[in-house]
Amino acid sequence: MQRTLYFIRHGEPRETGRLLGSTDMPASASGNEQVHVQLEACDGVAQVIASPLQRCQTVARTFCETTGLPLQIEPRLSEMHFGDWDGERYDALWQSARVPGIGDFWQSPWQHTPPNGESMSAFHLRLYKWWQQFTASPSCESVAIVTHAGVIKQLLAIWLGLPAEFDGHLSRAEIGYAKMVKVSVFFDETGQAWPKVVF
C-alpha cells in the first residue's frame, strides 16, 4: 500500500525580513495565490491538513471551500516558537549583543535555545510524534499539507533517518515560499511506514 503526501510551504508573508515562528502574520495575496496553484496541482488528494497560523490556514481553507475537500487544522505542524526573537526583524537580531544570539542558534540549534522559546529537541519531538501517529494506520489516501519551512526540514530529517541532533541540512536546504516537497509513503506487510522523498 502506498500514499502520496504533498508538503507545501506557505506563501510569502505580508511583511518580510522578520523571524516568523509563532508570530501569526498573514501571507500576501500573491503568496496565497501561489500556494493555491500548488494545491490545485496535487493529484487526487482526499483532504488538506494545515498549520493553524494564518499564513497556512487561510489559503488551505479557501481551497477546501472551493473544492469541497475536508480541512484538518493541526497545531503540531506550527512553526518553531522563537520566544523573545519571534516576530523581530532579522537585522535587529543580528545586531543584538544578547547571549545566546541568533548566530549561536543558527550555528548550533540543538545547543542554543532562543530566549523563552522552544528548544530544538522539543520542536523535533512534537513533529516526530505527529509523524508516528499520522502513519500509524496504513492508508492509500493522498494528502496535501500546508505548513512551514522549519517543519518540513525537521520532517526531512525524520524521513531520511538522520542521526539525532543532526543539523547540517537546516542551513544547506532551502524551501522557498509556496514550494512543494512530495513524499511517497510505502506500507509493508506489517503496516510499518517507509517514507521516500520524491524529486
Side-chain angles (χ1 to χ4, degrees), residues 9-28 51 53-56 77-91 93-94 102 105-106 114 118 123 126 147-151 175 177:
R9 186 188 180 189
H10 62 79
E12 184 176 58
R14 289 183 183 174
E15 184 180 348
T16 59
R18 293 185 182 275
L19 179 58
L20 298 181
S22 59
T23 300
D24 200 9
M25 182 179 292
S28 65
S51 156
L53 297 178
Q54 292 182 72
R55 56 192 185 271
C56 298
L77 293 179
S78 297
E79 184 59 282
M80 183 175 180
H81 174 50
F82 291 102
D84 296 350
W85 299 344
D86 220 296
E88 295 297 315
R89 296 198 62 83
Y90 280 110
D91 51 6
L93 290 172
W94 282 107
I102 193 168
F105 172 77
W106 289 135
E118 183 176 20
F123 181 49
R126 71 169 157 93
T147 185
H148 309 266
V151 169
I175 303 170
Y177 294 124

Side-chain angles (χ1 to χ4, degrees), residues 80 85 100-101 104-105 107-114 118-120:
M80 183 175 180
W85 299 344
D104 299 314
F105 172 77
Q107 290 180 19
S108 301
W110 289 86
Q111 283 71 47
H112 299 285
T113 298
E118 183 176 20
S119 68
M120 184 61 75

Side-chain angles (χ1 to χ4, degrees), residues 6-7 28 30 39 57 81 105 107 117 133 138-139 169 172 187 199:
Y6 302 91
F7 287 83
S28 65
S30 61
L39 285 166
Q57 180 183 163
H81 174 50
F105 172 77
Q107 290 180 19
Q133 182 182 5
S139 172
H169 67 298
R172 297 171 188 167
F187 294 92
F199 292 96

Side-chain angles (χ1 to χ4, degrees), residues 33-93:
E33 178 58 31
Q34 290 176 327
V35 173
H36 199 278
V37 169
Q38 289 280 41
L39 285 166
E40 289 179 327
C42 296
D43 188 29
V45 297
Q47 69 165 322
V48 178
I49 301 174
S51 156
L53 297 178
Q54 292 182 72
R55 56 192 185 271
C56 298
Q57 180 183 163
T58 300
V59 64
R61 188 172 301 281
T62 299
F63 178 77
C64 288
E65 288 172 351
T66 301
T67 60
L69 289 172
L71 172 64
Q72 177 188 342
I73 302 301
E74 177 50 75
R76 289 174 293 181
L77 293 179
S78 297
E79 184 59 282
M80 183 175 180
H81 174 50
F82 291 102
D84 296 350
W85 299 344
D86 220 296
E88 295 297 315
R89 296 198 62 83
Y90 280 110
D91 51 6
L93 290 172

Side-chain angles (χ1 to χ4, degrees), residues 1-6 43-47 134-135 137-144 183-187:
M1 184 180 295
Q2 175 184 343
R3 74 188 310 185
T4 302
L5 308 176
Y6 302 91
D43 188 29
V45 297
Q47 69 165 322
F134 182 70
T135 57
S137 300
S139 172
C140 59
E141 286 188 345
S142 295
V143 180
V183 180
S184 291
V185 183
F186 298 87
F187 294 92

